[in-house]
Amino acid sequence: TRPPGQRVSLDSFIGLSFEVNTASPRRMARPAPSPMPAPAALSLCGKPLNDPARARLRPVAVKIDNAPAARPQVGLDAACVVYEHLTEGGITRFTAIYQTEETAAGPVRSARRVDLQIVPQYEAFFSHVGGAPAEMASIRASRLLDVDQFFHSESYYYSRQRVAPHNVFTSVSAIRTTGERLGYGAEAELEGFPFTENAPDEGTDATDIMIPY
């Protein structure tokens, strides 16, 4: 028996001889990381698109009536973006923006001065039924991609279920076809809105929004 604390070699302890490999251990090759999938193309509304080319479709802006006799509107719920503004007598009107949504829309009404600010933001074809002389002069002097029913009636139709002036309708495809025929171009370079599926850390849930004006 050896005194405590005295070192004993492993080969003498177990009675076997062996060699110790002092070379650096081999490292297993790691597989190359898989490439991250390219983000899905999104429309202005944040809708995933199977065809990335559709993200470049030029939008269509349609001026939609909101008078009581115009309700229920057609295609308003399918719009990508909707602006509501006051017209007169407490009645509002909508500028509905469509991009990849293919739908009928209406009733279509006259343009308003606010459209000179809204529509160019989207480089959109603009669908409306005429307008006041001052607004029409401004539209013609602007660079709006105008598809006015007064001059392009082939892109519009009348509904027998509605009374004038709430009976003019169109479709996104009809306006786009006419706009392309007029040489406005089928595509636009736009940046969509940022979207997230994560709720903000602060704030409270809301079910209704009221904007008095």
Side-chain angles (χ1 to χ4, degrees):
T1 304
R2 297 178 182 273
Q6 184 174 356
R7 295 181 178 179
V8 180
S9 64
L10 185 60
D11 56 346
S12 62
F13 181 76
I14 63 176
L16 298 173
S17 62
F18 63 92
E19 295 181 357
V20 177
N21 185 1
T22 58
S24 299
R26 288 185 178 182
R27 294 184 177 181
M28 297 296 293
R30 295 182 178 180
S34 301
M36 293 294 291
L42 302 177
S43 72
L44 287 175
C45 303
K47 297 176 182 177
L49 302 173
N50 294 327
D51 182 1
R54 291 182 61 79
R56 298 191 298 271
L57 278 176
R58 186 180 298 282
V60 172
V62 183
K63 199 69 190 179
I64 295 184
D65 198 354
N66 195 31
R71 303 169 190 163
Q73 292 89 351
V74 173
L76 188 62
D77 59 341
C80 185
V81 182
V82 177
Y83 293 86
E84 183 177 12
H85 65 86
L86 189 65
T87 52
E88 61 275 327
I91 298 174
T92 63
R93 196 164 289 180
F94 301 109
T95 303
I97 311 296
Y98 304 88
Q99 188 189 28
T100 59
E101 302 79 16
E102 298 296 339
T103 179
V108 186
R109 292 299 303 275
S110 60
R112 297 295 168 136
R113 185 166 296 275
V114 68
D115 295 309
L116 290 163
Q117 283 76 50
I118 295 175
V119 178
Q121 297 179 52
Y122 297 91
E123 301 180 21
F125 303 121
F126 184 33
S127 166
H128 62 102
V129 180
E135 276 73 15
M136 292 308 302
S138 298
I139 288 174
R140 293 191 182 99
S142 73
R143 301 181 65 182
L144 258 65
L145 310 182
D146 195 24
V147 188
D148 186 353
Q149 188 265 352
F150 281 10
F151 302 97
H152 305 287
S153 59
E154 72 279 2
S155 300
Y156 299 81
Y157 62 93
Y158 292 94
S159 170
R160 295 180 179 179
Q161 283 71 45
R162 305 291 180 98
V163 296
H166 316 290
N167 60 340
V168 180
F169 291 80
T170 188
S171 70
V172 173
S173 59
I175 298 300
R176 179 170 282 119
T177 297
T178 300
E180 293 176 13
R181 179 173 55 78
L182 293 172
Y184 293 148
E187 296 184 351
E189 295 295 331
L190 301 173
E191 291 186 12
F193 300 100
F195 292 91
T196 180
E197 295 182 358
N198 301 320
D201 296 332
E202 299 178 355
T204 56
D205 294 339
T207 57
D208 299 277
I209 298 175
M210 179 176 291
I211 305 174
Y213 58 86

